[in-house]
Amino acid sequence: MTTWPSWQPEVLSFLPAWLWKVICIFLVLQMPPILVSLLVWAERRVSAWIQDRVGPNRVGPFGLLQSVADLVKFVFKEDVVPGQVNRVLYSVAPALAMVPGLVTFSLLPFAERFMVSDLDSGLLMLFAISSLAVYGIQIGGWASNSKYALIGGVRASAQIISYELTLGLAAAVVVLFTGSLNLAEMVRWQSETRILGLLPAWTIFVFPGGTVAFVIFITSAFAETNRLPFDMPEAESELAAGYHVEYSSMKFALFFLGEYAAMIVMSGLMTTLFLGGWSLFGLERVMEGTIWQTLIQTGIWWAKTLFFLFVFIWIRWTLPRFRYDQLMRLGWKVFLPLSLANLLVAAWMRTWGMWGASA
Amino acid sequence: MPRLSIDGVEIEVEKGTTVLEAARALRKDVPHYCWHPGLSVAGNCRICLVEVEGMRGVQISCNLPAADGMKVRTSSDAAVKARADVMELLLINHPLDCPICDQAGECKLQEYSFELGSGRSRFDVPKNHKRKAVEFSDRVVFDAERCIVCTRCVRFTKEITGTDELTVVQRGDRSEIDTAPGKSLTGNYQMNVVDICPVGALTSADFRFRSRVWFMEQTRTVCSSCSRGCNVLAGTRWNRVLRLVPAENAEVNRWWMCDRGRLDIREPAAEDRLAGARLMRGGVQVGVEPGEAVAALAAALAEARAAGGAGLFGLVSARLTTEEAWLARLLLRDHAGSPNLDLLPRTGEADGFLETADRNPNTEGVRAAGIAPAVGGFGLDGFRAAAEAGRVKWAVLVGEDLSGRPEDLAALAKVPFTAFIGSHDRGAAATATVVLPGATWAEKDGVLVNGDGRAQRIRPLVRCPGDARPESRILLDLLAAAGAAGAPDPSSSPAFLVKAMAAAVPALAGLTLGGLGERGAPLRGRTGVARVGTGVEV
Amino acid sequence: MSDRPGYRTVERPALTLADRLVFPAILKGMAITASHIFEKKVTMQYPEEKWTLPEYYRGVPSLVMDDENREKCVACSLCEFVCPPRAITIVPEERPGGGREEKQPAVFDIDMLRCIFCGYCEEVCPEEAIFMSKEYEVVGRSREEMVFHKDRLYEIGGVRKDPHRKWKNADDEARAQGRGHGHGPAQV
């Protein structure tokens, strides 16, 4: 639809297009590691606050460098490879688990003129790549040649496959509304459309189809990322640590990184699909065409995403773990019919008007 | 033959037997301090009180001859109450220094105080203080405060050693034991007073403060300082022998042992113990694995055997166990064919009491095992001349390093190949072609035969240092390496070795390790293996 | 089951529609946890803040001196005997100076990797020489460092003001009776 040089901010138009792209890739590639380390710190601080504790506050200001300390520890820990493992697959699995998390970052539209790739089939691409993460987990669980790891891996794949259905069906509602698979296009539709001529038509506000889709999507996102209350693949009380029980040192850290990267991508996707992406009541149009606009839009996008990340942590320290049969029942018997019905409702809304919302 | 009943049990005893002895024969525990089975009756401690029907009050059982029809109660209320009162009197001036007293843990005063005492003194005046840490000699330290004046030690010097060195001085609660002014305890038996002292008044200067007695492992074994073979109780801790005290054996040493044997506990922990095998290479001894040294010695023995064995001299210590001597004979005579086997005699002066002239503990056993020059061979006396004449090509010393015998060592230097199997790095160990680290008496399990032909069992008390092993194990390995016919398997247990030896040596027929029991059994003129002993404990 | 004596049937609470939808309950839970974010924190900032230890607290076992800076321990080894994990090693020696104590520990080691802080040693000590201190920060870089020797144990224990002076009193009494402590041959 559009050739990519047009997304270059005008102030930086003197740069060759390819250089701008390289800068974009470089910037985006820095995001996951930095964010993950921040997220780990946040996870520990928030969990501490919720439990009336203080949390890590010793390393650096507010304990912000705790993750750096953790990283140093990971790097210097002995890389134990148990004797019974399949050595090749055992080594490949952590990378397989982490790479999809990093690659999907390239598809997220942080701002109108700041993204690595603006694909027309962006949503499909994103789902396709993020689904690959299950291979890392499943292969890691199998290659460890340990019953806990194997059960964890099997649980993870079953769980991810089950919830990918509802995840897709919920996202289909947004596709239906916006009429595009291009993530940037979806955001633009949400920011430009008005519900009853007032409220921006962020999908979450398009009741009932969009709202229900959001609830289904966020719940499925928890299951997809193996986060509590759906962290059965690593359930400490049952499986010790599940699929990564036999891993140590940097290999373990890669699993860790992949898991948190997936969480960031899911939050970003929710922001993009349901919360209007970079748009915020017209603020995204300030200083049109300057680099400031790009910065503002990126800031808005990240603010929303960070909110979702906070919700992830918040939920984790609120709810206990589901039982595996409850998880499966919820997925197949409740959410699947509900999302199918919701898709029909959304289609009906698309045909008969969405509270005046139309492009 | 008076017949009396003690606590309702009838017993018939010899005339002249005391009630205490009759009660002990029935295994009744009547407390006693001054009475000792090896000493005369003094009757001064008053703790052995019993009640006798028809007699007024309570009686001391140690000085009461058993009479026909006597009805004795050893644990009636009256007897126990009277004993408790005696205990209270004994403890009036006894200091409360059990924490620093070496006797604690094996102290009769402590035991009966625990049993009978109130745990609290009714006397609030200061205790009567006396001298402490008085050196009666360089071996015996006396603490007058702890003494209960039972006079066991006084009677020992009067009746057993006849030296009459100790006596009671002062009167009443000032009484204490003392030597004559300027004199001290003397002789080779003085430390027995430490053993017989029922409290901590007499302590051994050697063992003083070394260890609390309850930490030590107590093993009954046999002293190997002379051919008497006194039975001893060895106290070990931290892999060290800390003390030897006599163990009662009516057939051997009764209740006593000499100080020389008692203090002979330094050798197992000596600085110059051999801990590794050595091999002479290019004129220098180098450390090797024991297996390598065994192979080297076996190869030399094969040469000797091929040469007919006449050039091989074997010196086998009479400090070894009988089995070890037998294994040495199997190796050197039966296998290698040497007619030249002998032991090293050690002699001293017999003192007419326990210590004998033969200071080797197992001369009888080693001779019985066949260690003696054969017809046409030479012994230790002929060795020097033979070595000077160059007729000795190989010499194997088992358990003897010839230290302190410069002429023999000089002769040994003329022998092209010498092997030393022994415990200390002395004498021959420095120049031997092959050195294999052996064990001392404290590390062996086996049979010693004393000068009276009594077989007794010594037991391992501590572990050997490093690669050192009992000579029996080394000799078994050598026999296996040499391929000697009829040799026991290298993994044979000590008991099996004794059995195999008894089957092979007519003089030792019927001997078994288990059959020796605690007190051993006579070898000569016995029918089967008899267990001898009176069952009386002190 | 309700017809069986002693048994009572408990009715399951009827779930309302809100309960069955689950999400309201989840939101309620999230409200509770969120409210805790702003609660006062209970964490104690350890190295800067420390517990006030109760009287009965049992920390590192320590040796004490009496108020004349004399060693109270006479190496009776009862603590070594009673110690359940066998953490204590004592090697006694003769005490120089000729006091009535006669004995003192040449070596007094407590292996703090073994010590279980049970306090039996304090309980059994007939000389009141070993006390459980309030010290609980036991760290070391090696196993050897974790074996506390006599000097370190005295450093922790320090001096204990104590009127109980068994040996010294006995010495004084003996002197009053004209019977001092005697090494050497007898004086009649």
Side-chain angles (χ1 to χ4, degrees), chain A residues 149-216:
Chain A
L150 182 65
I151 293 174
V154 169
R155 278 187 181 188
S157 49
Q159 176 175 326
I160 289 175
I161 289 166
S162 304
Y163 277 85
E164 223 151 55
L165 278 173
T166 49
L167 202 72
L169 287 170
V173 171
V174 187
V175 176
L176 212 58
F177 285 170
T178 60
S180 171
L181 282 168
N182 184 317
L183 289 168
E185 208 51 50
M186 287 175 174
V187 175
R188 213 167 292 121
W189 182 86
Q190 288 181 62
S191 71
E192 284 163 12
T193 315
R194 291 281 176 278
I195 294 172
L196 302 174
L198 289 166
L199 211 56
W202 296 358
T203 320
I204 189 173
F205 299 138
V206 185
F207 191 83
T211 315
V212 172
F214 171 72
V215 170
I216 291 171

Side-chain angles (χ1 to χ4, degrees), chain B residues 303-304 307-314 337-340 373-396 410-418:
Chain B
E303 283 173 36
L312 173 64
F313 172 67
S338 167
N340 320 311
V375 182
F378 52 84
L380 185 59
D381 299 329
F383 163 68
R384 224 177 293 164
E388 301 289 350
R391 282 189 285 127
V392 184
K393 296 279 186 291
W394 302 274
V396 178
L412 197 66
K414 302 270 194 302
V415 180
F417 180 95
T418 54

Side-chain angles (χ1 to χ4, degrees), chain B residues 157-185:
Chain B
T157 58
K158 204 189 291 286
E159 296 163 13
I160 306 295
T161 61
T163 48
D164 223 346
E165 289 143 335
L166 297 175
T167 188
V168 182
V169 298
Q170 301 271 35
R171 291 181 301 170
D173 66 356
R174 295 291 183 100
S175 308
E176 52 186 85
I177 308 296
D178 210 343
T179 55
K183 302 284 184 187
S184 66
L185 270 173

Side-chain angles (χ1 to χ4, degrees), chain A residues 48-50 52-54 57-58 215 219 310-311 314-315 317-319 335, chain C residues 23 26 29-31 33-34 36-37 39-43 45-48:
Chain A
W49 290 337
I50 285 175
D52 293 347
R53 294 184 288 114
V54 178
N57 62 346
R58 297 271 156 178
V215 170
T219 312
F310 176 76
V311 172
W314 188 5
I315 292 275
W317 298 102
T318 302
L319 298 180
F335 276 5
Chain C
F23 281 93
I26 290 175
M30 289 172 77
T33 47
H36 275 271
I37 291 178
E39 293 269 291
K40 190 178 174 316
K41 304 304 172 203
V42 296
T43 307
Q45 295 294 331
Y46 162 62
E48 293 89 16

Side-chain angles (χ1 to χ4, degrees), chain B residues 221-222 224 234 236 239-241 265-270 273-275 319 321 324 422-424 437-446 458-473 494:
Chain B
T221 181
V222 177
S224 55
T236 48
N239 199 36
R240 289 193 69 162
V241 182
I265 54 175
R266 309 266 185 269
E267 289 294 87
R273 275 301 296 272
L274 280 170
R319 288 172 164 177
T321 65
E324 285 166 342
S423 51
H424 292 84
T440 64
W441 57 272
E443 292 134 18
K444 288 178 181 176
D445 200 348
I458 57 164
R459 287 173 182 278
L461 309 172
V462 293
R463 295 185 303 278
C464 295
D467 286 335
R469 289 180 304 158
E471 279 80 351
S472 56
R473 297 291 126 195

Side-chain angles (χ1 to χ4, degrees), chain B residues 96-97 99-100 126-134 143 145-146 176 178 208-209 212 214-215 237, chain C residues 74 76-77 80-81 92 94 100-103 127 166-167 170 173-174 177 179 181-184 186-187:
Chain B
L96 193 61
D97 55 4
I100 59 165
K127 285 181 188 265
N128 203 356
H129 288 285
K130 296 178 185 172
R131 299 169 305 146
K132 291 177 87 75
V134 184
D143 186 312
E145 284 190 346
R146 296 178 193 155
E176 52 186 85
D178 210 343
R208 196 169 150 87
F209 301 157
R212 305 319 306 267
W214 54 78
F215 286 121
R237 193 185 179 196
Chain C
V74 296
C76 78
S77 301
E80 185 179 3
F81 181 66
E94 182 122 29
R100 250 155 220 272
E101 298 96 321
E102 293 190 63
K103 216 163 100 172
E127 303 294 332
K166 186 169 93 181
W167 304 102
E173 277 173 23
Q177 291 174 14
R179 307 299 296 267
H181 188 69
H183 280 276
Q187 308 114 32

Side-chain angles (χ1 to χ4, degrees), chain C residues 36-97:
Chain C
H36 275 271
I37 291 178
F38 308 103
E39 293 269 291
K40 190 178 174 316
K41 304 304 172 203
V42 296
T43 307
M44 178 180 279
Q45 295 294 331
Y46 162 62
E48 293 89 16
E49 299 172 59
K50 286 187 178 173
W51 287 100
T52 325
L53 297 171
E55 247 327 284
Y56 49 78
Y57 186 83
R58 297 197 301 261
V60 176
S62 65
L63 290 171
V64 300
M65 307 235 186
D66 68 8
D67 45 9
E68 291 172 17
N69 280 329
R70 293 195 315 179
E71 204 165 358
K72 291 186 85 178
C73 176
V74 296
C76 78
S77 301
L78 281 181
C79 48
E80 185 179 3
F81 181 66
V82 80
C83 181
R86 296 195 183 185
I88 303 178
T89 310
I90 298 170
V91 178
E93 67 177 1
E94 182 122 29
R95 185 183 293 233

